[in-house]
Amino acid sequence: MTTEPRQGAQAIRRALMVLRILAAGRETGVPLTEVVQATGLTRPTVHRIVHVLIEEGIVERHEKTGRYAIGGQVPELALARPSRSPLLAAADNILARTSQRVGDTLFLTVRTGNDTLCIDRRIGSYPIQVLSIEVGARRPLGVSSAGVAILAAMPTPDARKIVTANEVRFAGYRTSVATVLSQIALAKRRGYNLREAGLVQGTKSLSTWIKTPDRRPAAAITVSAVRTRLGPRREQEVAEILLEAALAIEKKIESLP
Amino acid sequence: MTTEPRQGAQAIRRALMVLRILAAGRETGVPLTEVVQATGLTRPTVHRIVHVLIEEGIVERHEKTGRYAIGGQVPELALARPSRSPLLAAADNILARTSQRVGDTLFLTVRTGNDTLCIDRRIGSYPIQVLSIEVGARRPLGVSSAGVAILAAMPTPDARKIVTANEVRFAGYRTSVATVLSQIALAKRRGYNLREAGLVQGTKSLSTWIKTPDRRPAAAITVSAVRTRLGPRREQEVAEILLEAALAIEKKIESLP
DNA sequence: GGTTTGCTGTCCATAATGTGGACAGAATTG
DNA sequence: CAATTCTGTCCACATTATGGACAGCAAACC
């Protein structure tokens, strides 16, 4: 039962749009033009918003590069909340165990708005590990393996809506609405998502989804490994392990609160 | 060299004002009326702002109590930044060592706007410990022992300005502009701040300040203990230890970046 | 060295946006 | 069941935020 629109706050909504784009830029930040492109706002508007946010300490500007990034006051506001989310708490042990069993790096990714956000990473024991994605990494839903998995876990019309909304941002990741939609369809049929060409060359990823007690997608577990380590046979094995882990986390969430 | 005003963003500034008030309410949150009182905005305006922020996931509303609190998306945005601030990194070891030497609970508190924010806490070894203040606790500058210490570390006019700005909020903490100003004067003379009656009954606090390389106040270290444990002699001892710790942290900050 | 390209920053007339007084419901209290 | 205290909603109005147009600056190109 989602409450419908609400007006009288265009500026605030726009500011948040900007913030979310900046968040995707992590420490390095994002140049103004890119924010303009990603938000669809005009340049003077973005400029004004960003500079007010700087005055307020919510955004920082890197002197050298001129890029804009999330400022120091955001973590300060975040301190007002209990430190670990219920999902993170529920997943903790299970991820640790699963990461040991698999030996490759595991990622826990949630949906936030139209983005995916990596909230946990467990490094495996195998000597070659894919570490490109870090905790805090944020990308448009549909771009990453986890993103496709999460989209595959929701009703097709909903997924379609999100993918369309992200269309403008896909360009930067060399993908398209059509590609993403077909990936979602494939993942739905398979029961998990598989990505042959990861964001890093020569890697392969496999994601399963986690749903909340009310059956809405909550997160995804992803394994990333160098391609040679995920042949057809091992793919089956790993998929089963991840599906198991996802189920275990779902159960734990139900039992906790 | 602070850049001067900037207009065209009243709404955004107001939203942030609201957010900061909500942050002070931590997990329990704040009722609408209190936000109205603290911000000086009208009720319809606050109501609108808060509800837009709810739609955006930045604010949450507790079903039972109807109170408003910082929402789950704020920590998500915070993930875009490196996890530990330079100050926290610099203070880490020194706080641990000092906490051992003193035996009572230590707090590290920073200034953020017109508030103090507790960003670290080290529990001591002595069997009776004052734990009332938690990491994330946020109060108007001037209300807590650490707040007075930080104000004492800045030029009097600056401090006076902040204290005046906080006047409306002091009522809720049973203090006043005059009281705070006299406490600041006392702390300045003494070189550290002493508070006989802590926020919790029967406790006593002692705070020293930490300055950044450019000599602006950055933070405060506070010891809180039951009153009987901080007699005149021990007060001297503890003060010296804290002053030493503050100096050590200042040096470490300079050496790091 | 000119000129083109790609970026950031600023102005200001304009209309769309956010505002807040007034009204209403809901819950608690005496 | 009036009185009080909270939250939520409406809508006429003017204050606020908007964005087209202009400007500066650096790097890349000819």
Side-chain angles (χ1 to χ4, degrees):
Chain A
M1 192 177 64
T2 34
T3 9
E4 272 327 300
R6 176 155 322 235
Q7 59 170 12
Q10 191 192 63
I12 296 174
R13 263 189 238 278
R14 287 177 167 188
L16 291 173
M17 236 198 264
V18 168
L19 271 186
R20 287 192 260 264
I21 299 300
L22 294 187
R26 321 265 344 253
E27 284 115 287
T28 30
V30 183
L32 192 64
T33 318
E34 218 165 285
V35 182
V36 171
Q37 199 267 326
T39 56
L41 303 172
T42 64
R43 214 169 34 68
T45 299
V46 173
H47 182 266
R48 187 165 14 86
I49 289 174
V50 156
H51 279 264
V52 171
L53 292 176
I54 287 177
E55 276 179 37
E56 296 284 338
I58 302 295
V59 165
E60 281 177 8
R61 178 159 210 217
H62 297 332
E63 262 326 313
K64 300 275 168 194
T65 60
R67 285 161 168 257
Y68 299 95
I70 295 288
Q73 229 175 95
V74 175
E76 291 180 355
L77 290 170
L79 279 181
R81 286 181 63 87
S83 42
R84 290 205 319 178
S85 76
L87 172 65
L88 217 48
D92 194 9
N93 295 323
I94 296 162
L95 281 183
R97 209 180 321 136
T98 311
S99 143
Q100 289 236 325
R101 269 179 82 187
V102 175
D104 289 294
T105 302
L106 279 188
F107 303 92
L108 183 66
T109 308
V110 296
R111 169 188 174 195
T112 177
N114 292 341
D115 291 354
T116 51
L117 177 67
C118 172
I119 61 168
D120 202 354
R121 177 176 85 174
R122 303 302 170 103
I123 298 173
S125 52
Y126 185 72
I128 305 178
Q129 291 291 325
V130 178
L131 297 181
S132 54
I133 293 118
E134 294 186 337
V135 172
R138 177 189 282 255
R139 302 202 227 84
L141 261 167
V143 163
S144 66
S145 169
V148 172
I150 289 174
L151 288 167
M154 56 177 72
T156 312
D158 296 9
R160 184 169 234 112
K161 217 174 286 173
I162 294 173
V163 172
T164 321
N166 278 342
E167 179 156 26
V168 273
R169 298 163 71 203
F170 282 164
Y173 296 90
R174 305 166 158 271
T175 185
S176 67
V177 171
T179 316
V180 173
L181 287 178
S182 79
Q183 285 170 346
I184 294 174
L186 240 151
K188 270 200 151 123
R189 224 169 306 134
R190 214 183 334 226
Y192 58 89
N193 185 46
L194 191 70
R195 159 148 319 192
E196 286 292 341
L199 296 167
V200 186
Q201 283 243 336
T203 66
K204 210 169 156 179
S205 308
L206 195 158
S207 304
T208 60
W209 47 82
I210 300 169
K211 292 188 175 188
T212 54
D214 57 348
R215 313 308 308 154
R216 287 154 26 91
I221 312 178
T222 305
V223 162
S224 261
V226 286
R227 184 172 304 152
T228 48
R229 219 175 118 75
L230 266 180
R233 164 169 292 156
R234 191 167 146 74
E235 182 192 313
Q236 267 306 320
E237 263 176 54
V238 171
E240 270 161 42
I241 295 176
L242 286 204
L243 286 167
E244 208 177 292
L247 212 67
I249 293 175
E250 285 180 5
K251 278 203 179 132
K252 195 139 179 197
I253 292 175
E254 260 178 296
S255 72
L256 275 184
Chain B
M1 194 178 59
T2 35
T3 8
E4 271 329 298
R6 177 156 319 239
Q7 58 169 13
Q10 189 193 66
I12 296 174
R13 262 189 238 277
R14 289 177 165 187
L16 291 173
M17 236 196 266
V18 168
L19 270 187
R20 286 191 261 263
I21 298 299
L22 294 187
R26 323 262 346 251
E27 285 116 285
T28 30
V30 183
L32 190 64
T33 318
E34 217 165 285
V35 182
V36 171
Q37 201 268 324
T39 55
L41 303 172
T42 64
R43 213 166 37 67
T45 300
V46 173
H47 182 266
R48 186 166 13 88
I49 290 174
V50 156
H51 279 265
V52 172
L53 291 176
I54 288 177
E55 275 178 36
E56 296 284 339
I58 301 295
V59 166
E60 281 176 9
R61 178 154 208 222
H62 297 332
E63 261 327 311
K64 301 277 168 188
T65 60
R67 284 162 168 257
Y68 300 95
I70 295 289
Q73 229 175 96
V74 174
E76 291 179 355
L77 290 169
L79 278 180
R81 285 183 63 86
S83 42
R84 290 204 321 174
S85 76
L87 173 65
L88 218 48
D92 195 9
N93 295 323
I94 295 163
L95 281 183
R97 211 180 321 135
T98 311
S99 142
Q100 290 238 323
R101 269 179 81 189
V102 176
D104 290 293
T105 302
L106 279 188
F107 302 92
L108 184 65
T109 308
V110 296
R111 169 187 175 195
T112 176
N114 292 341
D115 291 354
T116 51
L117 176 68
C118 173
I119 60 168
D120 203 353
R121 178 176 84 173
R122 302 303 170 102
I123 297 174
S125 52
Y126 185 72
I128 305 178
Q129 291 290 325
V130 179
L131 298 180
S132 53
I133 294 118
E134 294 187 338
V135 171
R138 178 188 282 252
R139 301 201 227 83
L141 261 166
V143 163
S144 66
S145 168
V148 172
I150 289 174
L151 288 167
M154 56 177 72
T156 311
D158 296 10
R160 181 168 237 111
K161 216 174 288 172
I162 293 173
V163 172
T164 320
N166 278 341
E167 180 157 23
V168 275
R169 297 164 70 204
F170 281 164
Y173 295 90
R174 305 168 156 269
T175 187
S176 68
V177 171
T179 314
V180 174
L181 288 178
S182 78
Q183 285 170 345
I184 293 174
L186 241 151
K188 270 200 153 125
R189 229 169 301 138
R190 214 182 334 227
Y192 58 90
N193 185 45
L194 191 70
R195 158 145 320 191
E196 287 292 342
L199 295 168
V200 186
Q201 283 243 336
T203 65
K204 211 169 156 180
S205 309
L206 196 160
S207 304
T208 60
W209 47 81
I210 300 169
K211 292 187 175 190
T212 54
D214 57 349
R215 314 309 306 155
R216 287 156 23 92
I221 312 178
T222 305
V223 162
S224 262
V226 286
R227 185 173 302 152
T228 48
R229 221 174 116 74
L230 265 181
R233 161 167 294 153
R234 192 167 146 74
E235 180 191 314
Q236 268 304 321
E237 266 176 51
V238 171
E240 270 163 42
I241 295 175
L242 286 205
L243 286 167
E244 206 178 292
L247 212 69
I249 293 174
E250 285 179 5
K251 277 201 179 134
K252 194 138 179 198
I253 293 174
E254 259 178 298
S255 72
L256 274 183

